Amino acid sequence: MSTVLIFGGSGSIGSAICQKFAEYGYNIAFTYFNNRKEAEKLVAKLNAYCKTPSIAIFCDVCSESSIQQVMNLPIYFDIVVNCIGNALYKELLESSIEDFENIVTVNLRSTFLITKLSAQKMLARSLKGSIIHLSSIWGNVGASCESLYAATKGAINSFTKSIAKELAPANIRVNAVACGMIKSKMNQQFTTRDIQNFFKNAPIQKIGQPEDIATAVFFLAQNKYITGEILTVDGGVTLS
């Protein structure tokens, strides 16, 4: 059975993605950064589905050497999911160069490193592969008071399309999921009224669940005729 490596797998959306693949019999390896106990709990949960024990790996995605250490492990994956990302809610005039450098490092630099090093390992074993990034609808349409976050996600979308063209001859597909508002730690500061206002003009007037993103990621991993796609999962918000 195939192995999936999920960067940021211990987060709200990442853990749902881990569970989705585990339910279909995939071997699971995922990274965590802050919370080892939560990672260990997730391993125990996943092992109820997997024949091969799941693996939780510490990784600082701001460090190239830390990502390289993950790649050096004897884990032979053919699917990589990049769930790494920080939000930043600030007006442009309040944003500092430190804010800019931090969010570019966490969101964009990590995406570059994860993609490059994953592709190198896939190519070394002559494997067909799939790399899937988590992006955002704000990377498509922009967002007031989230310009730096939106900029990194827009860059990830363009990067995804470019690398999809570059790696296609090697049978490596690259796609992304543009997430709308999903019930996760990233959005926990929003009140019920905030959420209702956000969705008042949307076709589907409710917040998305991590499972909705997990299903989209699994679909992109399975469909071998899709590459360079930015799949929007937002309840129709960007149709409004």
Side-chain angles (χ1 to χ4, degrees), residues 137-138 180-181 195-208 233-240:
I137 56 173
W138 303 140
M181 184 180 281
I195 294 168
Q196 289 173 343
N197 288 335
F198 184 83
F199 287 100
K200 66 181 179 181
N201 295 318
I204 301 176
Q205 297 185 351
K206 62 180 182 180
I207 194 169
V233 183
D234 70 347
V237 166
T238 50
L239 296 176
S240 305

